């Protein structure tokens, strides 16, 4: 069993912390791994800001907390796609692994995505895939990353992003699990800098920046887990081609800033303006 995950900026609070360390001997037996990254149905994005924290009541005025959360959820959806979230963990983990066996023998991610229809993650709920579909590609082991919930929440007037899920490795022959790492990254629990929900309402990219930074740090911990020190090792093998990690949401940066809302009436779908600096 391993300790719960502790990241530089945000605290990981994995309830029960049911982790399993990857043994070097188990990794030595892996011949050809396939990487899968997915988001569970209904994982998010979720806004739990206004309904769970009465500190914003005065700012909302006539706007009901439930409606304010609904509007913020729409903004979070605009900030980052489900596909970018799932791919970011996979790509950033894979590209940081050492260029040695078995990581230089990973099944082509494009072929894995094709047989599992992973590119449809925006239209089709990302339920647990049929792992047997990957066997004909030559895979003997699955490395899977799953996002179970993500969004924003608030406590005592301080809001932040959060994400939880797990990573695991298991064999296709027998489904024997050899590694598991749950994570729950929560800026509010970690007392990180306040992520103003009203600023996010005007600039959703602020949420994307916070979330992707947390995902990158989770990937760094996954890399450490997947490089145990007690393996036999061997000579480095030729590099495998990789793709760059996504660092922006197409179209978001190019969108014009929303116009200043009227002082007395909020435009449809908008939140109140943030307080002046």
């Amino acid at each position: 069993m391993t300790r719960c995950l502790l990241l530089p900026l945000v605290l990981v609070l994995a309830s029960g912390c049911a982790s399993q360390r990857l043994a070097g001997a188990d990794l030595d037996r892996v011949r050809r791994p396939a990487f899968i990254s997915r988001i569970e149905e209904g994982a998010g994005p979720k806004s739990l800001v206004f309904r769970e924290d009465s500190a914003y009541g005065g700012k909302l005025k006539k706007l009901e907390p439930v409606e304010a959360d609904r509007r913020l959820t729409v903004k979070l959806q605009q900030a980052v796609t489900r596909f970018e979230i799932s791919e970011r963990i996979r790509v950033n983990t894979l590209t940081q692994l050492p260029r040695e066996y078995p990581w230089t023998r990973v099944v082509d991610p494009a072929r894995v995505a094709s047989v599992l229809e992973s590119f449809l993650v925006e239209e089709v709920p990302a339920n647990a895939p049929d792992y047997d579909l990957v066997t004909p590609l030559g895979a003997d082991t699955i490395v899977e990353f799953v996002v179970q919930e993500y969004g924003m929440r608030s406590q005592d007037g301080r809001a932040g992003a959060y994400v939880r899920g797990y990573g695991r490795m298991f064999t296709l022959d027998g489904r024997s699990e050899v590694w598991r790492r749950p994570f729950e990254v929560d800026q509010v629990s970690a007392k990180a800098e306040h992520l103003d929900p009203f600023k996010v309402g005007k600039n959703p990219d602020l949420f994307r920046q916070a979330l992707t930074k947390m995902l990158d740090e989770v990937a760094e911990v996954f890399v450490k887990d997947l490089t145990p020190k007690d393996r036999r090792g061997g000579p480095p093998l030729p590099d495998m081609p990789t793709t760059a990690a996504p660092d922006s949401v197409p179209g978001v940066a190019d969108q014009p800033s929303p116009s200043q809302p009227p002082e007395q009436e909020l435009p449809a779908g908008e939140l109140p303006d943030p307080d002046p600096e």
Side-chain angles (χ1 to χ4, degrees):
M1 301 293 287
T2 59
R3 295 180 59 191
C4 290
L5 192 61
L6 183 62
L7 300 184
L9 296 183
V10 283
L11 183 64
V12 173
L13 302 167
S15 178
C17 212
S19 302
Q20 179 176 347
R21 186 184 69 85
L22 176 63
D26 288 328
L27 185 57
D28 286 336
R29 285 191 285 269
V30 176
R31 298 188 305 275
R32 193 159 172 76
F35 280 67
I36 297 174
S37 190
R38 60 188 179 88
I39 299 179
E40 289 187 350
E41 183 177 6
K46 298 179 180 180
S47 173
L48 308 175
V49 174
F50 303 108
R51 284 169 291 180
E52 297 190 357
D53 191 348
S54 60
Y56 303 98
K59 182 71 174 177
L60 293 177
K61 298 180 181 178
K62 295 182 179 180
L63 188 63
E64 291 293 328
V66 172
E67 173 62 14
D69 271 327
R70 187 196 67 79
R71 295 186 183 190
L72 182 56
T73 297
V74 173
K75 300 296 183 180
L76 302 185
Q77 291 171 340
Q78 296 171 357
V80 58
T81 67
R82 289 163 53 90
F83 182 74
E84 179 181 355
I85 293 171
S86 63
E87 279 295 278
R88 192 169 195 99
I89 299 179
R90 182 192 65 79
V91 172
N92 281 2
T93 300
L94 184 55
T95 55
Q96 294 180 72
L97 287 169
R99 303 274 71 87
E100 62 185 26
Y101 185 87
W103 307 127
T104 47
R105 291 295 182 263
V106 170
V107 178
D108 182 358
R111 296 182 66 195
V112 174
S114 179
V115 299
L116 298 179
E117 297 186 334
S118 299
F119 295 122
L120 301 179
V121 68
E122 298 302 323
E123 293 81 19
V124 180
N127 299 321
D130 182 354
Y131 303 109
D132 290 331
L133 294 174
V134 186
T135 302
L137 302 181
D140 67 325
T141 304
I142 298 292
V143 181
E144 182 179 45
F145 308 130
V146 181
V147 174
Q148 297 173 296
E149 186 176 353
Y150 69 100
M152 282 187 65
R153 75 179 195 92
S154 182
Q155 182 177 342
D156 299 328
R158 298 191 64 82
Y162 73 92
V163 59
R164 69 177 182 88
Y166 62 89
R168 65 171 181 154
M169 178 190 290
F170 61 92
T171 62
L172 280 170
D173 182 10
R175 301 294 196 270
S176 176
E177 194 168 279
V178 296
W179 169 71
R180 174 175 284 265
R181 165 73 80 171
F183 65 88
E184 183 171 347
V185 192
D186 188 334
Q187 290 184 318
V188 175
S189 295
K191 302 187 184 304
E193 183 179 355
H194 174 55
L195 183 61
D196 189 334
F198 300 111
K199 290 184 179 180
V200 173
K202 302 305 177 186
N203 182 12
D205 193 59
L206 294 173
F207 173 71
R208 184 196 70 85
Q209 294 173 23
L211 183 62
T212 54
K213 189 167 187 176
M214 295 193 300
L215 294 173
D216 291 349
E217 291 176 336
V218 170
E220 290 179 9
V221 176
F222 283 169
V223 169
K224 293 179 181 178
D225 279 7
L226 295 172
T227 52
K229 305 299 183 183
D230 58 340
R231 60 179 309 199
R232 294 193 308 269
L237 296 173
D239 286 355
M240 57 171 287
T242 57
T243 56
D247 57 9
S248 64
V249 180
V252 169
D254 300 328
Q255 293 176 357
S257 300
S259 59
Q260 184 72 19
E263 293 183 0
Q264 297 182 357
E265 289 289 338
L266 283 173
E270 293 298 325
L271 292 164
D273 287 335
D275 292 329
E277 295 290 347

